[in-house]
Amino acid sequence: MKAVAVRAASWHKCGMRFLALILSLIAAPSLAQEYMTADEFDAYTKGRTFSYGADGMPYGIEQYLDDRRVRWSFVEGTCQEGEWYEEDGLICFVYDTEPDPQCWSFREGPNGLIAKFENDPTSVELYEVGQSDEPLVCPGPDVGV
């Protein structure tokens, strides 16, 4: 009887180890997609201009300047000046024309940045489609009118 109890305990330990291994493998992909910190985001973006896409279509362009300042434009849109800051692990943006914070989670994917708008978790993700050292060209309003 004692031998049966020892085997059962041994099988229980083995089963628990197997379960722990399975759970760690399931959790591993989520660890690989950790959000960028403010310092990591700043180091990745500062001095560059990024083009973003969503659902296979161009979405917008953002230039990341010194002192966490930015210049943003939707495709075919008007440029907006703003700044970004970190809050609760997210990167939040405020713009001259949109003072309410827009907070995003950023992670580095195999092809560049991936951004999720956290103010609306059902929104699509944006992804980096290109980057440049060239500034964002912002023609003034009503140019050519």
Side-chain angles (χ1 to χ4, degrees):
M1 186 71 165
K2 188 175 181 180
V4 171
V6 169
R7 274 194 207 121
S10 177
W11 279 103
H12 181 72
K13 276 185 181 178
C14 183
M16 293 303 287
R17 286 185 187 143
F18 180 73
L19 180 60
L21 174 65
I22 295 299
L23 291 175
S24 71
L25 291 174
I26 291 170
S30 65
L31 294 176
Q33 295 189 5
E34 287 183 19
Y35 298 146
M36 295 176 95
T37 66
D39 289 339
E40 291 168 335
F41 181 76
D42 195 37
Y44 189 90
T45 60
K46 186 169 38 176
R48 297 185 185 103
T49 301
F50 286 76
S51 299
Y52 291 100
D55 288 333
M57 301 295 294
Y59 187 84
I61 303 169
E62 190 145 46
Q63 180 181 4
Y64 298 89
L65 306 162
D66 290 333
D67 300 323
R68 297 185 174 182
R69 293 177 302 112
V70 293
R71 183 172 295 127
W72 164 260
S73 177
F74 287 103
V75 174
E76 305 294 326
T78 304
C79 289
Q80 302 175 47
E81 301 290 325
E83 59 186 40
W84 68 268
Y85 59 93
E86 185 273 335
E87 184 173 296
D88 297 328
L90 300 175
I91 306 298
C92 299
F93 297 83
V94 290
Y95 298 94
D96 295 342
T97 58
E98 183 61 47
D100 292 331
Q102 299 176 35
C103 297
W104 299 76
S105 59
F106 284 88
R107 66 184 193 277
E108 196 170 348
N111 298 315
L113 285 180
I114 300 172
K116 176 111 176 110
F117 186 49
E118 297 295 342
N119 293 54
D120 179 4
T122 63
S123 67
V124 296
E125 289 183 328
L126 300 184
Y127 49 87
E128 177 185 336
V129 293
Q131 63 173 279
S132 167
D133 293 331
E134 298 297 317
L136 176 59
V137 177
C138 295
D142 304 322
V143 172
V145 176

